[in-house]
Amino acid sequence: MGPERTLKLGLFLSIFGLYLIVGSRERPWGDARIMYEVAEELVAHGSLQSVTEWPPMSHRGPDGRMRSIYGLFPSLAAVPGVALRNAVMALSPKLGPFATAITSHLAPTLLGAWTCLLFFGMCRRMNASVGTATLGVAVLAIATSTVIYARMPLSEAMQTTCFTGLVAELARISDEPTRPRALALGAWAGALLNTKLVFALTVAGAAVFVAYVMWQNRERAAGFIRWAVLGLLPFLALAAAYNYVRWGNPLKSGYQAENLNLNEHVWVGLQGLFFSSGKSIFLFNPPLIAAALLWPALARTRPRFAAAAALTALPTLLFCASYSYWGGDWSWGPRYISFLVPVALVPLVLALPRLLVSVRRAAVGAIALLVVGGVFVQILGSAFYWDHFMRITIQAERSWLGRPNLKGATSPERDGYCGACFEEISGYDWLPAFSPIEGHLWLLRHVPRAHDWKEAQLDAPWRRYTSLTLDIKDGYERARIDWWGLLWIKDFPEVRAAGLVSSILFLAILAAGVVMCVRALRRLR
């Protein structure tokens, strides 16, 4: 194996091992629960149904069985983890809760590491040095929300992987308009569609880009497009078959028109996605601030890559901005556009050598500060499962600003909350008093020290605006540090031996990856 391939494998193992070590202790909740139930039913009964009725994310099909509205691939990715969990539980039933929490996170963890590997390859193909590309991978892996969604069994990790793979293939077609590249492009597009139907807009943008690049040589373009369509067709057939099994119609996805809620002004959604206190992609991914400033320079030097990124990203971005729940509701940062993060980071990586040589130290220091800030933000995001502070926010807002009138809400009320309704989450999205970054920092000062809710409230973020004692007891007492090690250290001490064995395995994966990276970098130097 050559040194660069060794480096790639080392990077993958290092990131995979790191993500395992910092993993979550939570089982799948919310949207992830529905996706996971499909995987459980597949393993147990060979069925594609779900169990929990949770409209609109699941509802009954024509056969009367509960069905998930989500794409098939996130559930398929969870199948190996479910099978592994069942095997572990067959050996020792007491390991059930521990095994569920660990194995349900294997798929997003692997996908997060794979995304970083795709990012490395994309940067290298654009002439980034090995060292620069490796540094870029480190920034992506630990200073952006990539690590957060690698810890959660939602579909975002897979969306990010497939989008990154699609753009990477588009960036290659000018130099490599070959049959394998066409098949790979079609496969990435099909995989992306099977993560979430909205990415049909992204695939349409990719088709426009291919037509634009190939326009000068139409004969070659026809052959390339035929092979790309051939790569896409099996995935389209799979999506159609999944629709037929669920809803009795290959063209019916399960999304109900009345639940799309495309009622927001696009400019308001964009303002929220980029500049709100609770969902700004820049607040949750600080290195992207520097990358955004460098996009114009990249567009001048690499116009085709910039065009590929724009044509694939903008249609889906504008759709998300017009969605009433543009922020991704219960999540860390702007969940619906988290797939953009790796591609958006590319200009910073490509500009690093020039910045280090020709720019003042103050600019380099500012970039370093953004990276450090990104690491800090992801530590805060990993410290708690985001539902805890969201529940505290809703309770505090009701106690302080009044209980909202939910009679006209666009989603049904569940468990005393109205899910993603504007009435409940507007404060979390827009008000500095309920900023999740500051909120998690506040929780981190108190929850590990076992402070009660009244003591913790004395320096809560909203105390800048009110001296009232707000009733946050229920939400605050549910908050707990979200680290998998506490499963066997605290939650289930009877499985401590399994926890220790898992820890040794995770550390061994990380150590093997680091050793491979160091040796490969030495050889490449």
Side-chain angles (χ1 to χ4, degrees):
M1 186 184 296
E4 188 153 345
R5 287 191 176 184
T6 301
L7 176 61
K8 289 179 180 179
L9 180 57
L11 286 171
F12 180 83
L13 291 176
S14 298
I15 296 166
F16 180 50
L18 176 65
Y19 285 174
L20 287 171
I21 291 168
V22 302
S24 170
R25 76 201 279 196
E26 301 288 349
R27 59 160 296 131
W29 299 111
D31 294 4
R33 177 180 179 179
I34 306 303
M35 301 174 200
Y36 192 70
E37 286 179 352
V38 175
E40 290 182 310
E41 289 296 308
L42 265 172
V43 173
H45 309 294
S47 167
L48 289 169
Q49 69 185 74
S50 59
V51 176
T52 303
E53 186 169 4
W54 196 45
M57 307 310 172
S58 64
H59 50 88
R60 296 188 184 276
D63 58 1
R65 296 181 179 182
M66 200 64 59
R67 301 295 185 181
S68 162
I69 70 167
Y70 299 109
L72 178 60
F73 274 25
S75 295
L76 286 182
V79 165
V82 172
L84 178 59
R85 180 203 67 180
N86 292 351
V88 170
M89 290 176 63
L91 294 174
S92 177
K94 70 178 182 179
L95 291 173
F98 174 81
T100 297
I102 300 302
T103 59
S104 64
H105 295 87
L106 287 177
T109 299
L110 281 165
L111 288 164
W114 190 8
T115 297
C116 293
L117 199 60
L118 291 169
F119 180 77
F120 177 88
M122 185 163 52
C123 292
R124 287 287 289 140
R125 282 191 293 273
M126 288 190 284
N127 298 324
S129 69
V130 170
T132 300
T134 302
L135 182 59
V137 166
V139 173
L140 176 66
I142 63 174
T144 72
S145 59
T146 302
V147 61
I148 301 298
Y149 290 101
R151 300 177 73 253
M152 292 296 160
L154 290 157
S155 64
E156 273 65 30
M158 179 171 281
Q159 293 170 27
T160 306
T161 301
C162 293
F163 181 79
T164 305
L166 178 67
V167 175
E169 287 299 333
L170 288 174
R172 300 177 71 172
I173 65 174
S174 297
D175 301 323
E176 302 178 62
T178 61
R179 184 184 303 177
R181 297 276 61 84
L183 289 169
L185 179 64
W188 279 119
L192 186 60
L193 278 173
N194 276 278
T195 66
K196 200 172 186 180
L197 188 60
V198 69
F199 287 109
L201 298 171
T202 292
V203 174
V208 171
F209 178 79
V210 171
Y212 163 73
V213 170
M214 296 286 189
W215 184 255
Q216 299 299 327
N217 190 338
R218 294 180 188 138
E219 185 176 337
R220 175 177 253 185
F224 185 90
I225 291 171
R226 280 197 298 269
W227 285 106
V229 170
L230 187 62
L232 173 65
L233 281 177
F235 297 90
L236 290 181
L238 187 61
Y242 188 42
N243 286 341
Y244 183 80
V245 168
R246 291 182 296 172
W247 317 112
N249 186 334
L251 300 179
K252 187 176 181 181
S253 69
Y255 280 91
Q256 298 166 317
E258 62 271 20
N259 291 319
L260 286 178
N261 294 315
L262 300 176
N263 304 318
E264 187 57 274
H265 296 299
V266 171
W267 70 269
V268 173
L270 291 174
Q271 180 184 355
L273 290 168
F274 289 103
F275 303 113
S276 66
S277 60
K279 291 293 182 177
S280 165
I281 194 170
F282 296 123
L283 287 177
F284 289 85
N285 300 273
L288 293 189
I289 298 173
L293 297 175
L294 293 163
W295 263 100
L298 180 72
R300 289 192 298 271
T301 58
R302 298 186 177 276
R304 287 194 172 178
F305 176 79
L311 286 170
T312 53
L314 286 177
T316 306
L317 171 63
L318 294 175
F319 178 91
C320 293
S322 68
Y323 189 41
S324 297
Y325 312 138
W326 49 264
D329 49 82
W330 295 56
S331 60
W332 184 249
R335 174 165 64 98
Y336 293 150
I337 64 168
S338 61
F339 69 92
L340 295 173
V341 170
V343 172
L345 190 64
V346 167
L348 177 60
V349 178
L350 297 185
L352 277 177
R354 176 174 57 83
L355 292 173
L356 292 172
V357 171
S358 61
V359 180
R360 294 179 180 177
R361 292 180 181 177
V364 177
I367 292 172
L369 188 62
L370 289 173
V371 172
V372 172
V375 174
F376 182 65
V377 168
Q378 309 324 318
I379 290 173
L380 294 178
S382 302
F384 300 94
Y385 180 47
W386 51 62
D387 276 30
H388 297 309
F389 185 67
M390 284 207 72
R391 290 181 183 275
I392 291 170
T393 293
I394 292 171
Q395 289 179 329
E397 193 171 1
R398 288 177 175 182
S399 179
W400 177 24
L401 304 177
R403 190 179 185 92
N405 185 342
L406 301 177
K407 291 182 179 179
T410 54
S411 294
E413 184 176 344
R414 295 191 300 270
D415 299 327
Y417 298 94
C418 191
C421 298
F422 176 85
E423 294 89 336
E424 297 278 36
I425 65 169
S426 57
Y428 186 83
D429 287 347
W430 291 105
L431 300 182
F434 301 122
S435 166
I437 294 174
E438 185 177 2
H440 278 221
L441 178 61
W442 164 67
L443 285 174
L444 198 56
R445 289 198 299 266
H446 296 285
V447 171
R449 297 160 70 181
H451 293 166
D452 66 26
W453 68 277
K454 290 184 177 179
E455 184 179 2
Q457 190 170 163
L458 295 176
D459 65 348
W462 55 81
R463 295 291 287 196
R464 297 195 300 273
Y465 307 97
T466 181
S467 60
L468 294 173
T469 298
L470 308 182
D471 183 9
I472 59 168
K473 182 176 186 293
D474 291 342
Y476 178 83
E477 291 184 348
R478 294 174 66 166
R480 61 180 190 170
I481 295 294
D482 185 24
W483 178 53
W484 79 279
L486 294 175
L487 279 169
W488 51 274
I489 294 172
K490 182 179 180 182
D491 297 350
F492 307 103
E494 65 274 14
V495 302
R496 189 160 293 172
L500 288 170
V501 170
S502 300
S503 299
I504 293 170
L505 175 62
F506 298 168
L507 287 168
I509 293 172
L510 174 61
V514 170
V515 169
M516 291 178 74
C517 287
V518 170
R519 289 180 176 176
L521 286 170
R522 284 179 177 173
R523 290 176 64 189
L524 288 165
R525 285 179 63 186

